[in-house]
Amino acid sequence: MGQSEKLEQPEKLEQPERLEQPAKVIGIIAEYNPFHGGHKFQIEEAKKRTGASWCVAAMSGDFVQRGEPAVYSKYLRARMALSCGADLVVELPSAFAVSSAEDFAACGVALLTGLGAVEVLCFGSEDGDISRIQKAAGILAQEGGDFSSLLSLGLRSGLSWPLARNQALLVMADRDKDFPLKREEMDKLLGSPNNLLGIEYCKAILRQDSPLIPLTIRRRGQGYHDEGLEGGQASASAIRRTLKTWELYADTDLPPYTKLTPESRTHIPPAIWPLYGQEPSLEANDLSEILNFRLLSLRREGTDYTQYGDMSAEMARRLDSCLLQQVSWEGRIEQLKTRQYTYTRISRALLHMVLGLTAARVQSYKEAGRAPYARILGFRKESRELLALVKQKTAIPLITKTADAPRILTGTALDMFSQDIYASHIRQVLLSKKLGKPVRNEYNQPICILE
């Protein structure tokens, strides 16, 4: 199948009626940080539009793309997803879960493609029009040419990578009468985070020559960055900001789910209200002590900070000059913030240092295919037929038990898996401190099987 043929098929999937030949399995790449009503709607709508029986979620583990710990553990978030329509949850390898949108999307596409059984990749977008998203992806998928030159020009002028990319595309739209998208269409696409991620998914499908068929569903409710709970479905960002308020009730004798206020419950599926009370949420500042210790250790060892992903030479100099000013995680970001570096870029750079993710190590993971295995976090018992189908069609090893990994994986794939385990154990240290008691580790934590 050629690229043009591949990019025409999703337009048929955008129709509300079922396909003549329904898909069996859809895939979603997500963080579910945390899971809410909009995520449930997406799963249900994707199954409805494709006629699919099953949904596979490729979900970030214990750290997320913003360069922070996930608010809840990957096992709790997997249970939330399984309780609301997902049938199988696999873990997105940690090195790419905390990477740029491009690498995050490329890993997710590689993982779902490697499973063999997934036919359709579904994602939410503000635009809701797959054709415009695909056109933008087609432009970005091309290496070299005007785009690369204009991108380099923007970066040299001091723009952050996202702004330089946007400027390059807008300049191309202005000066080329045959450009596939009008400037106003490009403005709309580039100004919305889920549109941008959708473009990266489609770009990854093109570059990997993946058979996945992209399908987008228009997001409902508030915007990605909206902070309030008023109005339609609240964003995950808004819910994260209010978790601390809900947890004020944690020390009462009330059942755990009563921590959810009446206002917040409207944004969360009732089936998972109790799950929100099973463990305290974590935030970026919970990493502050570990970060300060790590920075002191790296300075003593004479380590070059720039070997870590997203850490530029300028950022490294600024960090070294203020390293002994002991501040919180967010305080470190404020110390390093400039016009060129976004909050997320800096946070990811710091997290890469904490997790030991050097640029060379990540590059070796890319060369190994980004997703050389699939770690299963959970599945629905009634969806065992899906698990059997995946085992039959997968092109990559399936990991269900941590202790079995050294027998199944070798070389870079095993190192990559060990990185996932290391990341999860760091988050478990943070959770244990907050709870004041030991928690399960990656060797005694069973996968989630929903009855």
Side-chain angles (χ1 to χ4, degrees):
M1 179 183 291
Q3 289 185 356
S4 60
E5 294 176 302
K6 187 183 305 175
L7 291 177
E8 288 170 2
Q9 293 184 58
E11 295 186 38
K12 298 177 183 178
L13 293 176
E14 280 300 287
Q15 304 304 314
E17 56 268 15
R18 287 175 174 268
L19 301 175
E20 292 181 6
Q21 294 182 334
K24 286 185 178 180
V25 186
I26 58 168
I28 292 175
I29 303 166
E31 291 185 326
Y32 295 149
N33 188 40
F35 196 97
H36 57 62
H39 298 133
K40 183 174 185 289
F41 169 78
Q42 182 189 29
I43 295 173
E44 292 173 345
E45 189 68 8
K47 285 184 175 180
K48 174 184 173 183
R49 293 193 189 186
T50 61
S53 301
W54 299 304
C55 172
V56 177
M59 188 188 77
S60 300
D62 283 321
F63 290 89
V64 294
Q65 204 203 351
R66 279 177 54 82
E68 300 174 352
V71 288
Y72 294 128
S73 73
K74 60 189 178 186
Y75 299 104
L76 182 57
R77 285 160 37 241
R79 182 171 290 277
M80 290 177 176
L82 294 170
S83 299
C84 294
D87 299 280
L88 172 66
V89 180
V90 294
E91 182 176 359
L92 196 73
S94 60
F96 298 108
V98 298
S99 191
S100 65
E102 180 179 43
D103 287 337
F104 175 89
C107 180
V109 167
L111 178 55
L112 292 178
T113 302
L115 291 176
V118 180
E119 300 155 82
V120 178
L121 169 59
C122 175
F123 57 90
S125 68
E126 291 86 356
D127 192 74
D129 186 334
I130 196 68
S131 62
R132 284 195 287 264
I133 290 172
Q134 289 170 322
K135 287 176 183 177
I139 298 164
L140 291 174
Q142 300 173 22
E143 299 286 355
D146 286 348
F147 173 71
S148 293
S149 300
L150 290 168
L151 177 65
S152 297
L153 184 64
L155 292 173
R156 288 197 301 272
S157 72
L159 294 179
S160 65
W161 194 93
L163 288 176
R165 174 200 54 200
N166 292 5
Q167 178 177 279
L169 290 172
L170 290 172
V171 169
M172 291 173 70
D174 279 340
R175 73 185 189 187
D176 185 354
K177 65 179 182 179
D178 295 322
F179 199 72
L181 289 168
K182 296 179 181 178
R183 182 185 178 91
E184 53 269 26
E185 292 177 314
M186 190 66 74
D187 259 332
K188 183 179 179 182
L189 283 174
L190 300 178
S192 305
N194 288 283
N195 285 343
L196 290 172
L197 194 52
I199 291 170
E200 292 297 342
Y201 291 142
C202 290
K203 186 176 81 175
I205 288 173
L206 282 172
R207 286 186 171 175
Q208 297 176 29
D209 195 24
S210 168
L212 294 176
I213 300 171
L215 161 67
T216 189
I217 294 173
R218 190 187 298 275
R219 291 183 76 253
R220 302 189 310 172
Q222 298 180 26
Y224 180 86
H225 296 295
D226 288 346
E227 298 187 10
L229 296 179
E230 302 81 10
Q233 172 64 52
S235 66
S237 300
I239 292 174
R240 286 195 299 272
R241 291 186 184 97
T242 59
L243 283 177
K244 293 302 172 187
T245 303
W246 303 349
E247 288 172 8
L248 292 175
Y249 298 95
D251 296 328
T252 71
D253 294 329
L254 297 171
Y257 58 84
T258 56
K259 292 192 300 181
L260 299 182
T261 63
E263 182 185 28
S264 64
R265 290 188 191 189
T266 63
H267 304 286
I268 299 165
I272 61 172
W273 285 353
L275 297 182
Y276 265 73
Q278 283 198 359
E279 63 184 44
S281 64
L282 297 186
E283 61 181 1
N285 281 337
D286 290 317
L287 276 167
S288 301
E289 291 181 11
I290 290 179
L291 173 63
N292 285 324
F293 172 76
R294 177 67 169 159
L295 293 177
L296 289 172
S297 299
L298 291 175
R299 172 180 272 191
R300 184 181 184 185
E301 296 162 4
T303 301
D304 179 4
Y305 300 160
T306 61
Q307 69 177 288
Y308 295 99
D310 282 319
M311 179 63 68
S312 69
E314 179 193 355
M315 199 186 300
R317 287 193 296 270
R318 292 170 64 88
L319 179 58
D320 192 59
S321 68
C322 63
L323 186 141
L324 297 181
Q325 299 173 27
Q326 304 293 335
V327 293
S328 68
W329 183 278
E330 292 182 351
R332 287 290 181 198
I333 294 175
E334 289 303 316
Q335 289 175 339
L336 303 178
K337 189 82 173 63
T338 66
R339 176 171 173 261
Q340 187 173 6
Y341 302 123
T342 63
Y343 178 102
T344 299
R345 161 76 184 272
I346 298 171
S347 191
R348 280 204 303 262
L350 296 177
L351 184 59
H352 289 159
M353 298 177 82
V354 168
L355 298 181
L357 277 172
T358 63
R361 171 170 269 173
V362 174
Q363 181 58 36
S364 72
Y365 295 165
K366 291 180 182 179
E367 293 170 0
R370 290 187 172 87
Y373 57 86
R375 188 183 189 196
I376 295 176
L377 296 179
F379 63 92
R380 294 179 64 87
K381 204 168 185 179
E382 64 186 37
S383 303
R384 282 178 171 173
E385 189 179 342
L386 166 62
L387 196 55
L389 180 66
V390 169
K391 288 179 178 179
Q392 175 190 341
K393 294 198 169 190
T394 186
I396 54 179
L398 301 179
I399 309 295
T400 57
K401 189 176 180 182
T402 304
D404 289 342
R407 177 177 55 81
I408 299 172
L409 305 176
T410 59
T412 304
L414 181 57
D415 182 72
M416 194 171 174
F417 183 82
S418 299
Q419 182 69 42
D420 297 343
I421 302 304
Y422 180 65
S424 288
H425 284 161
I426 287 179
R427 190 190 184 282
Q428 286 155 13
V429 168
L430 303 179
L431 180 59
S432 176
K433 179 182 178 182
K434 185 156 283 193
L435 286 171
K437 63 180 181 180
V439 299
R440 282 181 161 172
N441 60 57
E442 291 299 281
Y443 292 94
N444 61 21
Q445 172 69 57
I447 67 173
C448 174
I449 303 176
L450 202 68
E451 298 291 341

